[in-house]
Amino acid sequence: MELSRLCGDIKKKEILLYGEQEEIIQFLVKYCDLLNISTVISEYNNEIRLQPYSDWDIKTVLFADMKFAEKQVIIICTKNKFNVLRRRLEYLGKKEYRDYISCELVEHLLYGKKLMVCMGTQLVGQVSLLIQTHQPLMEQYNIVYFSEQEIMEPYMNRLQEYIHVCRCCAVYVRSSCEKERFLLKILDRRTLSESCRIITIADYGFGGYYPQIVKDRERVSDYLLRGYMRLPIDYHTLAFASTDKELLKLCEQGMPADDIAGQLINDNFYSVEAVIQYFTEETKRFNQLESMSDIRLSQFVEEHKTEYLCRNLYEWSEPVVSYTANLILELLNMPPLLAAQKVRASLIEEISGSELPVYPSVQKALNLGKDLKNKKYRVVTYSEVKYLTLEEYLYVLIEYLYKAMDIMKFSGMDGEMIFRPDEKVN
């Protein structure tokens, strides 16, 4: 799609901003000196009274009072309400691309760069940020990232904006897996242009280093929901994404915290055979996702399994992210990443969430000790980012689980075994 042909020269048009205050301010900071922005359209009487954009000499007008004119372009600045706002505009006869666009397309219009859309799991998000440090790529492309959570059920809060942006892209990078393969087919046939280059990455998480983690959240959701929502926020955040079945099993037996930690820290907790078998099964599962993918990771993971490759079930460490980013660059006939490995690792660290601890018995079986022996794991909560040793991490989780169980007892659930972990791995 020739967006510039539909929209015209955006630098010569009067620009109206419509959306949410935080996103509008971010837009103004970035583009105010480059565009003729005259007005912010608001839904809120309080904003009209306060005129929050007066520092930029921009007036705020209530939507109901707005008098639209020809040769205006409305830029929608929002992370969650694009569909609602575009419907209000279309009710007034405004046309997509001609009269309104997403703020994600502005750089594409301003500088005439090709558009690259990255959509998918955490790996795609990590890669999309890493390749933005690649100057030759950024001279040619504007990169927009959508997480699969934002556009898939049950959320879908950016689905319409995602489709709106995808129609204009020259390169489309996404995770490929069984769960949302139908969406890729829809975009291939109905949304993406025929000339769009599609690059797929076979990734939907890898749990090879974490045999203690339950992947099926439904099995433990009732147990957790009755307890963790009433706990301090740090506990809620730390335990929300995954459940350690070994910790849970030992806590349900009423063991003291020191005894639980002592068992899990023992480097013979899991047998070498069990760990290797689990890692192999995860690699095979991963390999099955790759038949229709451009970028394959299972062989790389197998060849580098003695390195610390996974930060948790869904986020990866620098070796995998850099490997994937360089393959994308190669497919686009670009030189490899120039930033030093430590710089790349630091960037990935900064944008990633909490790490899961790798048990010493897993470290021993997979020869990971050199990387993880004295490691402090990154833990991200709503209130802070902190780094915990394995023992500190375990004690926090044990405290969390016992507090959750106390709440359950107080609620009259004492004696109910919501969760019964299988004994397959140990």
Side-chain angles (χ1 to χ4, degrees), residues 115-138:
L115 182 65
M116 179 187 298
V117 172
C118 300
M119 190 287 288
T121 60
Q122 282 87 337
L123 175 59
V124 175
Q126 290 174 304
V127 168
S128 71
L129 284 167
L130 192 59
I131 61 178
Q132 289 182 57
T133 66
H134 190 268
Q135 186 175 350
L137 181 77
M138 296 308 295

Side-chain angles (χ1 to χ4, degrees), residues 258-275:
D258 289 344
D259 292 349
I260 294 174
Q263 283 199 32
L264 301 182
I265 291 171
N266 189 316
D267 63 8
N268 291 317
F269 180 77
Y270 287 132
S271 69
V272 172
E273 294 77 17
V275 171

